[in-house]
Amino acid sequence: MEYDVVVVGGGPAGCLAAKYAAEHASTLVVEEHAKIGEPIQCAGLISVRAAAESELPRSKFKRCVCNEVRGAIFHPPSFEPLMIEGQETKAFVIKRDIFDAALAEEAARGGADFLMRSKIVGIKQKRVGSETLNELKVVSNGKELKIKARVLIGADGASGITQRFLGLRPRRLLSCVQVSGIYSGDTDLVELFFGKSVAPGFFAWAIPVDEKVARLGLCIDTAVSTCKPLQLLGTFLERLKKEDKFKSSFDFLTGVIPLGPPKRTAAPLVMLVGDAAAQVKPVTGGGVYYGMKCGKLAGRLAARAVKEEHNRGVSRYDKLWRREIGREIRLGMLLHELRCRMEDKDFDAVFRALADEEFLKTIARRGDMDYQSSALLPAVRRLLVQPQTLALLSKLLMKKHKL
Ligand SMILES: Cc1cc2nc3c(=O)[nH]c(=O)nc-3n(C[C@H](O)[C@H](O)[C@H](O)COP(=O)(O)OP(=O)(O)OC[C@H]3O[C@@H](n4cnc5c(N)ncnc54)[C@H](O)[C@@H]3O)c2cc1C
């Protein structure tokens, strides 16, 4: 089998890359699972902008949506909760399996082929005559296959084979657990719970699916947490039970989220997209929007590169995606590092300093889920002008931190 472009992985980044590559080049998606979108490893919260970026027809997107939210309640460890509430829908709570399957269908309609239940187990680059090709060893429905690809797009998630082939790793890994459960909260608002005692290096969440059900989960940064996520989830659910908010759970998932892209995400004839390139918002762990955005870019460049002698398209990939979202990710990583150094009392101090009605209203108006510097920079500025939090920030910056 031979294709111009082979995409490893049929998640959102892979499907969008395939859709765009297939416009001008023969394209194959190789997916190890039997069904696109399964198993689900996501809380399913995506912005209104991400919904548009998916390019799904309205009727198809509607089928993925369980709920719409307008804002968030932030719970510090001991200080009173803060609410940021917009007037209109800011984000959708989606069924990721249906969403991913719809993206795959659109890619297939656009001309991409799919090879399901097929896992890439080996990658080599070979010189054939005057050109270099990627040669992929695939175990497909129990049989071994060889597939040749002019350009390879690695959309195979946080610790996939394409990343290993290029010898690259994300800077940090979050380990995540989530249940679906019977929950009583505001269906319009997600709830985020902060504290080293709650989720070291990250936060816990309650994302309302409807009036009765929410997705309840947390991530930890594996470099700083001494506790296991499952143990922390137990403590978190117990707390919600005591507060009379949570009754019982009926669903369970685990997953990892990569943070901090490696120095390069492309090599001759290979590009990494989505979680494979850690194109993830470091502050919230959301990767669907950036993954789709960079997937499209990689697909476009791959199709161009197959027609070029020197693959200039592929070599420009790194520069082009970083121009769009590199600054956001860098700022997010800096704040993530600080978050990893914070004790419970530090979270309380930060939230106390931000608890101002006018300030929260401005953030509700201007804050942007995908370009988080819109809210984070004003928040940092506010912390810098208050003597207590200025002192805290300098202490956190100086703090020796074993990673
Ligand atoms: C608990 C949790 C909650 C999250 N919540 C959110 C959220 O609310 N909003 C948000 O935006 N993001 C969220 N994320 C992150 C989001 O799920 C990812 O960023 C997103 O799925 C990345 O898309 P992707 O296409 O890069 O990779 P993936 O969706 O991981 O897809 C990779 C695909 O590659 C396939 N694959 C891997 N290796 C091979 C191989 N060797 N051969 C063939 N196929 C292979 C896999 O089977 C998989 O289908 C969450 C993540 C977790 C773990």
Side-chain angles (χ1 to χ4, degrees):
M1 240 191 266
E2 189 166 335
Y3 280 84
D4 290 334
V5 180
V6 169
V7 180
V8 192
C15 288
L16 266 302
K19 180 177 163 183
Y20 273 66
E23 283 179 8
H24 302 287
S26 65
T27 301
L28 173 73
V29 179
V30 182
E31 168 56 52
E32 68 175 310
H33 291 106
K35 260 190 129 181
I36 293 285
E38 293 181 11
I40 297 175
Q41 291 179 308
C42 190
L45 188 71
I46 63 164
S47 65
V48 172
R49 184 190 288 107
E53 190 75 26
S54 75
E55 295 174 3
L56 288 178
R58 223 180 150 76
S59 60
K60 268 194 195 160
F61 182 71
K62 264 189 165 172
R63 267 179 255 147
C64 313
V65 177
C66 324
N67 191 17
E68 298 181 12
V69 293
R70 289 181 294 112
I73 303 175
F74 296 81
H75 296 269
S78 315
F79 189 68
E80 64 194 58
L82 307 190
M83 185 149 76
I84 296 184
E85 196 180 11
Q87 298 295 321
E88 68 284 334
T89 298
K90 296 269 181 199
F92 297 102
V93 182
I94 58 164
K95 297 169 194 146
R96 262 297 297 275
D97 50 347
I98 300 182
F99 179 72
D100 287 20
L103 295 179
E105 187 186 320
E106 290 303 302
R109 283 177 189 275
D113 291 338
F114 280 75
L115 189 65
M116 302 301 295
R117 288 191 73 209
S118 302
K119 182 171 179 160
I120 306 265
V121 294
I123 304 172
K124 268 195 221 157
Q125 288 195 331
K126 267 193 163 173
R127 197 116 191 110
V128 181
S130 62
E131 63 171 357
T132 305
L133 286 176
N134 292 290
E135 191 179 88
L136 311 171
K137 193 162 138 191
V138 186
V139 177
S140 178
N141 291 296
K143 287 200 189 110
E144 212 172 272
L145 288 181
K146 290 255 159 64
I147 302 176
K148 291 196 178 85
R150 182 95 171 84
V151 178
L152 183 67
I153 298 181
D156 46 346
S159 39
I161 188 168
T162 45
Q163 223 184 59
R164 291 199 299 279
F165 171 65
L166 297 185
L168 302 171
R169 291 177 55 185
R171 275 168 53 198
R172 304 286 271 274
L173 276 181
L174 303 178
S175 174
C176 321
V177 279
Q178 181 181 275
V179 295
S180 294
I182 305 302
Y183 187 76
S184 57
D186 194 327
T187 45
D188 282 1
L189 301 170
V190 300
E191 292 181 70
L192 307 177
F193 302 81
F194 292 84
K196 191 175 175 183
S197 54
V198 178
F202 206 67
F203 55 80
W205 61 82
I207 296 180
V209 171
D210 59 32
E211 304 79 40
K212 281 208 157 168
V213 172
R215 295 174 187 152
L216 307 163
L218 59 84
C219 294
I220 55 150
D221 186 316
T222 52
V224 296
S225 181
T226 49
C227 291
K228 296 266 178 263
L230 201 52
Q231 183 190 346
L232 290 159
L233 182 69
T235 313
F236 176 55
L237 295 179
E238 271 310 306
R239 163 187 168 178
L240 297 177
K241 234 179 211 167
K242 273 193 199 136
E243 291 171 7
D244 244 356
K245 287 173 112 178
F246 164 72
K247 277 211 183 90
S248 57
S249 65
F250 53 85
D251 193 9
F252 176 77
L253 63 83
T254 62
V256 291
I257 298 180
L259 296 188
K263 280 216 168 70
R264 64 187 172 93
T265 56
L269 304 171
V270 186
M271 286 175 275
L272 300 181
V273 296
D275 277 15
Q279 287 156 340
V280 172
K281 292 172 261 180
V283 173
T284 54
V288 173
Y289 173 64
Y290 285 176
M292 291 191 298
K293 198 173 169 57
C294 297
K296 288 181 188 179
L297 173 66
R300 229 183 270 128
L301 294 175
R304 201 179 301 162
V306 294
K307 298 194 170 63
E308 284 175 353
E309 220 175 287
H310 302 293
N311 296 299
R312 264 188 26 159
V314 168
S315 61
R316 289 180 61 216
Y317 170 67
D318 240 321
K319 206 189 230 169
L320 290 176
W321 77 256
R322 283 181 212 269
R323 193 185 288 166
E324 293 278 324
I325 55 170
R327 192 184 86 109
E328 288 292 323
I329 293 185
R330 278 198 306 280
L331 173 69
M333 280 311 284
L334 175 67
L335 295 177
H336 174 68
E337 292 289 343
L338 295 181
R339 167 170 66 191
C340 285
R341 298 170 192 195
M342 284 165 71
E343 303 295 329
D344 279 1
K345 63 178 178 8
D346 302 332
F347 283 100
D348 283 327
V350 165
F351 282 102
R352 191 175 296 117
L354 299 177
D356 173 272
E357 213 173 303
E358 276 314 303
F359 174 72
L360 296 178
K361 273 190 192 154
T362 312
I363 295 297
R365 253 195 337 270
R366 292 209 208 133
D368 185 321
M369 258 179 85
D370 301 313
Y371 295 90
Q372 295 170 345
S373 58
S374 57
L376 296 171
L377 286 175
V380 170
R381 263 183 237 122
R382 197 176 163 85
L383 299 179
L384 288 174
V385 296
Q386 302 192 31
Q388 258 195 336
T389 39
L390 173 63
L392 170 62
L393 285 181
S394 27
K395 182 192 87 180
L396 292 174
L397 283 168
M398 305 295 284
K399 197 169 174 179
K400 285 249 179 312
H401 184 54
K402 253 200 202 161
L403 293 177

